[in-house]
Amino acid sequence: MRWFVVLAVLPIALWSGYWVAGAYTLEQATARAFNEARRAGAAAEFDEAAVSGYPTRFATSLADISVSGENLVWQTQAVMIDAESHRPFDIALDLSEPHRIAGRFGDLGVDASEAQVTALFRPEWELPLDRIALDATEVFVNFSDQGRIDMTRVLSALQQDPDSMTTYRVAAAIEDMVLNGLLVDLPPDYHIIPEVRLDGLLRFDRAWDRSVLEEGAPLLVELVLSRAAFEFGSSAITLQAQLSRDQHAAVSGTVNVTVQGWRSLFDLALEVGYIDLELESFFLPILQELASQEVPETELSLPLRIEDGTVSFGAITLGMLPTVP
């Protein structure tokens, strides 16, 4: 009978020990990540980290998170990190609480009725990131007092390329994007984008793995946009791009913009003053000549070149892109 009791209790004791060790490791890893952020010069704080869910789950809750660096501030009330006890490398993050994000782009408030990130790490010593995905519904992005973007659903995923540890395939979709107060000069039809879809490749200078805790996030060095497509008013716009980032954070490469129904956009740009009326006789013959080479002629393809952040169309300089931190 004694041996029966020992054999019955032993698995429970071993599993309990495993769970306690795993919970302690998660708490230490969380504290270590924030400490490394501070050592890198960021102000990183959270109120508490608590692990629950014994015996089937590791559910880690972080409260009152604030991370601020040179170019970015992120604040939120709570984040829940969840994983099954027997699959601690398959993680789900609940990001449904409101977020404040500030940086070079301004001050944003981000909220969603539901927002979950799932991350799958390969069970190897370096814990390389195999896949990360976002699924959010009823997303609201507020740009201080400048307007708001409402989205019914946002889906995105990064999957590590099987042939390269530093390359990830990316796919994303946004449904029912409504631009509130952002394009006030345009007619109402241009305030709603029914769907945005894109797919491509992201290449970093090193792999996303446990080294992030000591060395910080890898740098994005190349973007290959196979296709991005959306409707804007009565026009359909498609983009393809190949861009790289040099050691000075300047972007270079090519972007090809294809516009189906381009004339309505050109007329709109004239109407609202984006293009000076005196330049119509200069630009319109050029665009008509380019469109005449396409099938159908209502389609226009514009090859753009970017050199050290300067965007040009042929000999015409269109503007500058900001550096990528």
Side-chain angles (χ1 to χ4, degrees), residues 5 46 53 68 80 183 222-223 245 260 265 274 278:
V5 173
F46 64 95
S68 58
M80 176 66 75
L183 300 174
E222 185 177 21
L223 162 66
R245 173 189 180 277
Q260 177 68 41
L265 283 183
Y274 290 169
E278 296 179 356

Side-chain angles (χ1 to χ4, degrees), residues 73 97-103 105-113 138-151 177-182:
V73 175
E97 292 288 340
H99 303 261
R100 175 181 172 262
I101 304 172
F105 43 76
D107 199 332
L108 308 181
V110 182
D111 197 4
S113 60
E138 302 299 332
V139 181
F140 309 100
V141 181
N142 290 289
F143 295 83
S144 299
D145 298 327
Q146 301 174 12
R148 190 179 77 185
I149 297 178
D150 300 348
M151 294 164 280
M177 179 187 295
V178 181
L179 310 177
N180 294 298
L182 294 175

Side-chain angles (χ1 to χ4, degrees), residues 62-115:
L62 304 178
D64 296 328
I65 302 169
S66 176
V67 179
S68 58
E70 183 180 354
N71 300 311
L72 184 67
V73 175
W74 171 48
Q75 296 174 332
T76 188
Q77 298 174 2
V79 170
M80 176 66 75
I81 307 171
D82 190 44
E84 295 180 0
S85 299
H86 67 286
R87 288 178 60 85
F89 48 83
D90 191 351
I91 299 172
L93 289 79
D94 188 342
L95 301 176
S96 300
E97 292 288 340
H99 303 261
R100 175 181 172 262
I101 304 172
R104 295 179 178 178
F105 43 76
D107 199 332
L108 308 181
V110 182
D111 197 4
S113 60
E114 292 184 14

Side-chain angles (χ1 to χ4, degrees), residues 227-240:
R227 176 182 169 85
F230 62 96
E231 294 181 3
F232 191 55
S234 59
S235 303
I237 300 174
T238 304
L239 296 93
Q240 294 176 310

Side-chain angles (χ1 to χ4, degrees), residues 244-320:
S244 59
R245 173 189 180 277
D246 64 19
Q247 64 269 27
H248 304 295
V251 176
S252 298
T254 58
V255 178
N256 192 71
V257 183
T258 302
V259 184
Q260 177 68 41
W262 65 274
R263 185 60 190 264
S264 64
L265 283 183
F266 183 78
D267 292 340
L268 177 66
L270 291 171
E271 181 182 339
V272 299
Y274 290 169
I275 298 177
D276 195 307
L277 289 174
E278 296 179 356
L279 296 176
E280 178 181 5
S281 59
F282 173 76
F283 281 111
L284 185 57
I286 296 175
L287 297 178
Q288 288 175 328
E289 177 63 25
L290 289 172
S292 68
Q293 303 172 26
E294 305 289 341
V295 179
E297 292 188 7
T298 55
E299 184 171 291
L300 177 65
S301 183
L302 300 174
L304 306 179
R305 181 164 185 81
I306 302 172
E307 190 69 35
D308 292 333
T310 301
V311 184
S312 58
F313 171 58
I316 303 172
T317 299
L318 301 178
M320 292 287 297

